[in-house]
Amino acid sequence: MTPPSGGDARPRRDRGCRRRPGALDALLAALVALPLTLMAVGAWNAWHDAWSDAAADLKRTAGAAAEHAQRVLSGHAVAAGRVDALLRGLSDAEIRARERELHLELNHLVSEVPQAEASFVVDRDGHPLVNTLIFPTPRGPPFAADRDFFLALREPGAPAIHVSQVHRDRIDGSLFFAVSRRRTRTGNGGVPAGSFDGLITLAAYPNRIAEGLRRLAGSRSDVLLLIRTDGEVLACTAGQDGPTRLPEGAHFMATVAAGAERALYEAASVPKGERRLYALHRVEGWPVYAVAGRPRAAILAAWRVEVARQLAVGVPATLGLLGLALLVRHGQRGLAAANEGLEARVAERTAELAESEARLRLALGAGGMGIWEWSIATGVVRWDAATYRLCGPPPEGVTDHDAAFEALLHPEDRPVRAAAFRRAFDGDGEYRCEYRIRRADTGEERWLAARGRVLKGPDGRPARVIGVNFDVTERKAAEAALHESEARLRLAQEAAGAGAWEIDLTTGHARLSPESLRLLALPEGHPEEFDAALWAGIVHPEDHRPAQAAKARAIAENGLYDFTFRVPLPDGSVRWIQGVGRAEYAADGRPLRLLGLNLDVTERKAAEAALAASEAEFRATFESSAVGQVQLNVETGRFLRVNRRYCEITGYSAAELLGGMSIRDLTHPEDRASDEALFRELAGGGSGYKVEKRYRRRDGRVIWVRVTAAPLRDPDGQVRRMMTVVQDITERKAAEERQALLTRELDHRAKNALAVVQAALRLTPKDDPDAYARAVEGRVAALARAHTLLAEGRWKGAPLGALVEAELAAFLPASGVGEPDGAEAAHDGQPAAPPLPRVLLDGPALTLTPAATQALSMALHELATNAVKHGALSRTGGRVVVSWRADHAAGLLRLRWEELGGPPVSAPPARRGFGSRVIEATARDQLGGRVERRWEAEGLVCEIEAPLGRVLASADGRHAAAALRG
């Protein structure tokens, strides 16, 4: 509304006026110059519009790119959180053991996240554990230990989510940047709470993200980029050949350092140096900006196209006016007719304008709006009929509408109206005000809204105000009812200790109820509206980023927000607040608001902390126990809780045992019946039991355990669970069995040894008592040496090399006999040459069975006895070479005895002696093989062959060649 009335004066047109020729020429020249002026003005406007349109396009594009990037990054962050939840409680070893299963689950999980293509999980040293691209995961050097995301997340105070710089993949060379987070609540033992224990990475591929950005570009020449706040280029629609970083002096770096969320500037591109107009937009919740750029040349091209369009019209128009001017100049007689036609057209246009004004008044009247006009120079105010209907007719004889309207105004609203006029005069000319009036005819109080604009005169000063009034009484009543409803809701919330809040997602501003302000420890009277910066200063620093991430997840996923955070109080304590809410979206899917409640859950958190401490104390004792401990369901026998030692005893992981297995699944089938009877007795009120039984481990091996069970009673006295302590007594049982076996084996071997001695006594020739005694003594000594070796190997077998060395060493003196074999005596002050070895041994490290050891000891003893009496060891310089090998292809042990340097041999012995018969019987009967003897010129060559499966206990490496000196 505004001030009052006045007259209406309109200028008349002097139809009969006649212009002098000079005036006519000036008018014609002005008409010709007018199109040129208009073209110049149009070119200037086109220049301004080209830059304005480019700026508007780039701002929209940058905003759209920021929203796109926010969705992509939030999606990757959510996927990383889901991967963390999937792996929660698993140790690195369990992840490697279940790699195939986890590889498939990770691929399924990542496939549900838009533009998420790859995920990697690495341990605390940077070694890969599992990934979505390669199976099995290569086990090599730590591939992530030098990456920036690994270095950043392992530091104390690392961010919850980290966006890395662009890297080149070490396998296929593709570019990627990582959205990473720490692994939490892992199953690795000995890792302090909150410390770094590996990370989860989702790889984003810049060139693929660029494909999505290209669809947002407003022009083919536009370029879209995602840039970290430190200048690292994450994605670019122009393509990337490698990691790119803006220089420190770039305009972008200065803009980000100034804290700008959005900006528009012109700068040279990197690295081409092309001038471009850039718009940047901060990606909400991330240290990333979306930047849209358009080359200056493209903007100039658009301007040239527009100027060309104007010239296409303006130049012909100018030429036409020039021709018209010439025609007018040479045909003044047609001027009068032209003027009359012009006046007719003006009259027609005036009539159309009047008709249009009438339609406008009709439309305003239909909408309940009244028009008024205030001439500031004259003070006259004019009302239309609709304004009279809104306010009522003025008293009889009143012509000053402003005074009449002032009388109708509510006294409290008169200063409000005056202040609105002052703002319009001093500001942008917009007049807006709402006030109450009492109708002149009925006295009814109504609310009116006034909207108007101040029009300035040629001198630049306000000349007129034109506006409309419309009735908003019903809207005001609805607002009052809403305020009353909100007040009642606020009382209910205060009674329940809950505070309401609302966040405008388009502006980032929040509004909190008084109860929410109290919960946040803000002073009484604090404004209900505040921004994110103030909120960040109130919330505990460790909860700020997680809260932002929870809000982003709620908006991106299902619209439901639920996050608990801490508020530090002045006394040094903290208050726990649970915020719950729901997001509201526009029809096109854009998030508009987040509405919710704040609840004080400090007492609940204290109870949870006490319970967690008690649980932690129990778990520490439970998990660190040196014996296996489990809790079982008495009715089903299923595992309710297991400790680390129990998993080691059974070979199963905790996840497997707790995933539905029962004690019956581990108990040996022969022990299940007695085990179930003990369970029934315990469930019936028994006090517990102790038992030794067998388990079948995960690898199929059967072990013995000692079980001590005790009931756990519920508050109602019922036994539904039991606590069991389990000790692995397999070694004790095995020792007992070995003891019994050794007893039986000792008896068998003693009898066997006595049988061998008996055979030696029986077969040894008895014609010479002294020779008989020496032969028996030597054979019993050989057997004793074999038994000594077997005893050292706990009768599991004896090394073949050690057996040969022991048997031959018995026939060689500790120091040489006479002159050293093959040595030259010292002469002329020179030392003697070292003696040659009497016996050479060569063969791999083979272990003989006890039976083969005893048999071969007798054969070697006979060969050595013969060599000392008649062969190579009977004279100086003679040598014996003993070699052996395992011929796996033929399945035979091949042992060769070769004598060198002994007495010349002209022919085999005429008869077989006792030793020859012993050797043949040993090879054939005891070893299941054969023996071949050849009498070469230098001495005997004896080759013994026996099946590997019959004589060989094990073969583990190469026996070093040995030499025995006589």
Side-chain angles (χ1 to χ4, degrees), residues 44 115 281 368 513 805-806 812 849 866 870 885 889 891 933:
W44 170 254
Q115 296 196 7
H281 193 292
S513 70
E805 185 175 349
L812 299 176
T849 62
N866 182 72
H870 312 293
R885 65 187 179 90
R933 290 177 296 164

Side-chain angles (χ1 to χ4, degrees), residues 291-469:
V291 180
R294 181 171 297 176
R296 179 185 179 89
I299 301 174
L300 294 179
W303 171 71
R304 292 189 190 99
V305 169
E306 183 61 29
V307 170
R309 291 197 189 102
Q310 295 180 8
L311 291 176
V313 176
V315 171
T318 303
L319 295 176
L321 284 176
L322 179 59
L324 179 61
L326 294 175
L327 289 175
V328 170
R329 186 174 184 184
H330 293 286
Q332 294 183 4
R333 293 181 179 179
L335 180 58
N339 285 338
E340 290 178 0
L342 179 60
E343 288 177 357
R345 287 195 297 274
V346 170
E348 181 181 354
R349 181 59 181 158
T350 301
E352 291 176 356
L353 184 60
E355 183 179 355
S356 175
E357 183 177 353
R359 287 197 297 270
L360 176 60
R361 290 182 180 276
L362 182 61
L364 292 174
M369 295 185 180
I371 301 176
W372 49 266
E373 179 180 353
W374 173 27
S375 175
I376 298 175
T378 63
V380 174
V381 176
R382 290 188 301 161
W383 291 1
D384 67 353
T387 303
Y388 284 114
R389 287 194 295 271
L390 288 173
C391 301
E396 189 70 25
V398 173
T399 58
D400 188 346
H401 292 77
D402 189 55
F405 189 79
E406 190 77 18
L408 299 179
L409 270 174
H410 194 288
E412 295 178 0
D413 296 339
R414 291 169 186 168
V416 175
R417 176 171 171 264
F421 273 120
R422 285 195 299 273
R423 286 195 301 271
F425 291 152
D426 299 337
D428 59 359
E430 290 289 336
Y431 167 68
R432 303 173 68 87
C433 189
E434 292 184 0
Y435 39 74
R436 292 162 290 178
I437 67 165
R438 290 191 179 276
R439 285 181 56 89
D441 50 355
T442 64
E444 178 188 3
E445 184 176 282
R446 306 292 293 178
W447 275 92
L448 297 184
R451 303 289 185 269
R453 175 169 288 279
V454 178
L455 303 178
K456 297 182 179 180
D459 58 357
R461 296 182 178 180
R464 291 186 301 159
V465 183
I466 299 176
V468 296
N469 287 340

Side-chain angles (χ1 to χ4, degrees), residues 627-691:
V627 297
Q629 295 189 32
V630 295
Q631 285 188 14
L632 298 172
N633 184 305
V634 173
E635 296 180 357
T636 64
R638 289 194 173 185
F639 294 98
L640 302 177
R641 173 174 280 178
V642 298
N643 72 348
R644 174 188 52 79
R645 177 56 186 151
Y646 189 79
C647 294
E648 294 173 353
I649 292 173
T650 63
Y652 287 92
S653 68
E656 291 173 319
L657 293 170
L658 301 177
M661 292 183 65
S662 70
I663 194 65
R664 180 182 176 85
D665 298 325
L666 298 181
T667 303
H668 193 281
E670 297 178 4
D671 297 339
R672 287 175 184 168
S674 59
D675 208 44
E676 291 171 357
L678 292 172
F679 262 73
R680 289 193 296 271
E681 179 182 348
L682 189 69
S687 59
Y689 61 84
K690 295 181 180 179
V691 68

Side-chain angles (χ1 to χ4, degrees), residues 8-94:
D8 183 14
R10 299 191 179 184
R12 295 181 181 178
R13 185 182 303 276
D14 184 1
R15 298 176 182 269
C17 68
R18 295 291 184 268
R19 297 180 177 85
R20 294 189 298 272
L24 179 60
D25 291 343
L27 178 60
L28 293 176
L31 290 174
V32 174
L34 179 60
L36 297 176
T37 304
L38 292 176
M39 284 189 289
V41 173
W44 170 254
N45 289 336
W47 173 266
H48 180 269
D49 291 343
W51 284 94
S52 297
D53 293 344
D57 284 349
L58 292 176
K59 288 179 181 179
R60 286 193 296 270
T61 302
E67 291 184 3
H68 176 75
Q70 200 273 342
R71 288 195 296 270
V72 170
L73 295 175
S74 296
H76 281 62
V78 169
R82 294 175 64 186
V83 172
D84 183 51
L86 174 66
L87 303 179
R88 190 161 295 157
L90 297 182
S91 66
D92 293 351
E94 291 171 334

